[in-house]
Every structure is written in structure tokens, then in C-alpha cells.
Amino acid sequence: MSTEFHLTAAAAADGPYVLDIDPERAGWGYSSLRVLDLPPGGRHSFATGDSEWIVLPLSGGCTVLTDDGEVFELTGRESVFSGVSDFAYVPRDAHVQVASGAGGRFALTGARCERRLPARYGAASDVPVELRGTGNCSRQVNNFGAAGTFECDRLIAVEVLTPGGNWSSYPPHKHDECRPGEESELEEIYYFEVEPAHGTEGVGYQRVTPSGRGRGTDVLAEVRSGDAVLIPDGWHGPSIAAPGHALYYLNVMAGPGETREWLICDHPDHGWIRSTWPEQPVDPRLPLYEAPAGDAR
């Protein structure tokens, strides 16, 4: 079973980033993810190059400035387990500065793209919060950068929160081939954080099995806060939250399809689990939180 697809927090750091995954490092064509830690008063500048990016606060708030003169004040949040965050979209072929008076951790979710769309602010109040699954398959999805929710050229990005003891990304599914109307071809990055409890940091687990396509991705990873798993192909799921520790993951996806869409195919051995969901209630711990009622800027 390959370990090349599981990047631990320490192994994936590069320069100013505590996590830095680009298409060259991943061995694919489109998806990128950087995680930036800024101290109080810290600032960081970067060129967007041939990719579009969403700046998403994981903890803390920041100011995002572009060389076109756009300024976005992001309120952010205390942590990924405390609330929905606002965010900023910045286009390809730009220079961007991220600055934080109080400091924080910020995800830069990116995708190589062709169109140069305008820089924009995404309000936390506009993020659809979805409850998916029931019983011990219950999870929460914050669809801040989902297809059909927020316009991008190729980038798709969402957050998933799984209460302790539950399975998400289940049933296992794939999106590694283009079948119009049925399945889209998307490279995917999972970035994890685990909610501490009782003085322990906690762990989660991620499974990916080969689908017979691409690189034969096969992963069984014990993940901790700051880790990432690359999914160029294969059936992915479950993502397992250990009892007592909620599991967060940020999904970053992009691919070559002409249409920006998330179409998946369930694993034929496990897709039946969906038929049991109407018989069970959603986990009463969900939602962990909801989007705020109005723009907090």
C-alpha cells in the first residue's frame, strides 16, 4: 500500500507554507493547496500564476489585497470547528498580499485555469451548510466553493465536518473518468484537522482503494491535524472520525472537463447504504454550527 499519497504536516512544508501541494508535487494537472501560518502582524505576498485561488481562513482573520487595488477584509473564525468563514477569490495572473493583525492560519485553495475572473468577496452568510447522510454516516458540508454555489473557472472546494465516531465520504465513491452526465474527472486533495479533546490531539483515518484507473491509488492513512491525502484516482472513503474527536477536512478539486461539476460514482459494493438513510435520523450533534444570518464585515 503506497504512502506517496499521504503527506504528513512536517513532510509537506515548503518555505513560508506549512503545507504546499502544487500540480508538480502531486503529479497531476490542476489542483493545488497551500496552508499559510502568519504570526500577529504577519504578511505574505504571492503570485497567482496560471491558477485561480480562494483564500480561506482556518483560524483568525486577515486582509487580502490584490495588485488591481481590491481589498477584502476577512473576519475569519476561531477555528474550523467554531463556525463558517468568509473568504476571498483572487484570479490568475495577479499578485496578492495576505496580512493578519492578530495572526492565524489560512488555506489557499487553487486550480490551474484558463479564464481570468474578477476578484470577489464571499460572505459567510452566503455559504450553504448541508447535512449529508444519516445515523453514523451523518456529516456536515460547508459548500463555500462548490460548483453552482460560487463561480470559479475550474476550482471546486468544500469543507466537511464529521462528528466523533462517524464515517463520512461514505459510501466510497470516485470521480476519475469523464462520463457526461454521470461522472466528472477531478483530482482531489483532502486536508485534515482533528478537534482536540481531553488533552489529546486525536486522529482520524482515510481510505482510498484502486478503481482500475490511473495510478492505482491505494491508501490507508492515520491522519492528524495538518496532514493531507492526494487522490488522483480511486474509490475514496470512508473518512473516519475517532470517537470523541470531530474530524474536519477541506476538499480541493479540479479537472480537465469542459463543465465545472461534481459528479460521482458510488462503489458498487457499498452504494446500497444510501437506501438505509431515510430510516434513520440525522446525528443530533449536527449541525456543529450554521452560517451566520448576515455579512459580518
Side-chain angles (χ1 to χ4, degrees):
M1 195 172 299
S2 175
T3 60
E4 67 178 297
F5 303 107
H6 176 206
L7 302 178
T8 62
D14 186 26
Y17 303 112
V18 295
L19 180 79
D20 188 4
I21 299 166
D22 60 16
E24 285 73 25
R25 181 167 198 169
W28 56 36
Y30 297 93
S31 298
S32 295
L33 175 64
R34 299 168 177 168
V35 177
L36 175 69
D37 276 353
L38 288 179
R43 61 188 62 224
H44 172 69
S45 297
F46 69 99
T48 60
D50 61 1
S51 297
E52 59 187 346
W53 299 85
I54 286 178
V55 180
L56 175 73
L58 300 174
S59 63
C62 66
T63 302
V64 178
L65 306 91
T66 74
D67 55 356
D68 289 334
E70 299 277 5
V71 180
F72 304 107
E73 297 289 347
L74 303 186
T75 301
R77 52 190 165 183
E78 181 179 350
S79 80
V80 297
F81 299 103
S82 66
V84 177
S85 181
D86 51 358
F87 59 93
Y89 173 93
V90 293
R92 60 168 291 161
D93 303 317
H95 283 82
V96 178
Q97 183 184 89
V98 181
S100 180
R105 172 168 284 205
F106 309 96
L108 311 180
T109 67
R112 281 181 174 157
C113 65
E114 291 73 41
R115 291 190 298 155
R116 190 176 194 270
L117 301 176
R120 280 160 290 139
Y121 173 80
S125 57
D126 291 337
V127 174
V129 174
E130 173 191 0
L131 299 186
R132 191 177 295 170
T134 63
N136 60 1
C137 291
S138 301
R139 61 271 202 183
Q140 172 178 334
V141 185
N142 299 338
N143 289 301
F144 72 96
T149 295
F150 187 86
E151 185 185 11
C152 299
D153 188 28
R154 292 194 178 274
L155 176 64
I156 298 173
V158 302
E159 302 178 299
V160 181
L161 295 116
T162 308
N166 285 7
W167 285 24
S168 61
S169 278
Y170 200 80
H173 58 279
K174 76 180 185 76
H175 40 69
D176 58 12
E177 59 184 312
C178 179
R179 295 185 297 132
E182 297 184 44
E183 184 178 351
S184 45
E185 183 180 350
L186 297 167
E187 311 153 350
E188 186 162 17
I189 302 167
Y190 275 54
Y191 165 79
F192 297 91
E193 293 198 6
V194 182
E195 187 173 34
H198 295 276
T200 62
E201 294 183 357
V203 299
Y205 295 87
Q206 177 67 43
R207 185 72 171 111
V208 186
T209 53
S211 65
R213 297 183 55 82
R215 293 154 67 177
T217 308
D218 193 354
V219 178
L220 176 56
E222 183 175 280
V223 295
R224 292 172 167 78
S225 288
D227 286 6
V229 170
L230 307 179
I231 305 175
D233 49 66
W235 305 102
H236 40 291
S239 304
I240 303 172
H245 297 273
L247 179 68
Y248 164 94
Y249 51 90
L250 171 62
N251 291 145
V252 182
M253 293 169 275
E258 293 184 6
T259 303
R260 176 177 170 251
E261 56 187 350
W262 182 70
L263 298 177
I264 65 170
C265 174
D266 284 343
H267 194 294
D269 292 344
H270 305 289
W272 63 267
I273 197 68
R274 291 187 189 273
S275 67
T276 69
W277 291 351
E279 304 165 7
Q280 305 173 73
V282 174
D283 190 314
R285 294 174 290 179
L286 292 175
L288 296 185
Y289 48 76
E290 300 197 36
D295 188 343
R297 282 192 299 178

